[in-house]
Amino acid sequence: MRRAVQGVTLDREGNLYGTAVTGGSGSCEGGCGVVYKLTNSGGIWSQRVIHAFAGGNDGSGPGARVTVDRSGNVYGMAPTGGAHGLGTIYKIFQGPSGGWSLKVITLFTAARMEPQARLEG
């Protein structure tokens, strides 16, 4: 994972969430970016990628800080990719089995401005 540029977000349980513009997988040079979670257990931090962007409909280059709601859902934006290539706003949520899934909330089109700022919770 590389280029974590916008800082991290703290949730109610003390976990940290962040994004990296590159890294992960996908068709982008250097990877299409990731959203990660850092968990502290006994003073040792462990990192888990909760979504690796593919550069397709999910978006790419998620460089903005994410927002975490009271239920632990993670919201953010990817300024590129998506069905129209102009970015997405997404929600990442944890399922009953513990796995993480991404849902695209909106796709940006030529008729809408490209997303530029982080979501406020």
Side-chain angles (χ1 to χ4, degrees):
M1 185 169 39
R2 301 181 299 216
R3 293 197 56 207
V5 296
Q6 293 295 326
V8 294
T9 300
L10 181 69
D11 75 5
R12 295 165 52 143
E13 297 175 359
N15 301 305
L16 297 172
Y17 294 83
T19 61
V21 175
T22 59
S25 59
S27 59
C28 311
E29 182 179 342
C32 293
V34 298
V35 178
Y36 60 88
K37 176 181 179 181
L38 298 171
T39 305
N40 188 334
S41 178
I44 298 173
W45 288 91
S46 61
Q47 175 184 301
R48 178 176 182 192
V49 171
I50 61 173
H51 185 74
F53 289 83
N57 287 340
D58 62 340
S60 61
R65 186 177 297 181
V66 295
T67 297
V68 181
D69 71 14
R70 292 180 182 179
S71 299
N73 300 309
V74 179
Y75 297 86
M77 55 80 64
T80 57
H84 306 288
L86 297 173
T88 64
I89 294 182
Y90 58 84
K91 171 184 176 180
I92 300 174
F93 58 95
Q94 196 166 20
S97 64
W100 292 86
S101 299
L102 180 136
K103 176 182 179 183
V104 173
I105 295 172
T106 191
L107 295 169
F108 289 87
T109 66
R112 297 186 200 164
M113 298 278 302
E114 184 172 307
Q116 295 294 322
R118 78 181 185 108
L119 295 169
E120 297 294 332

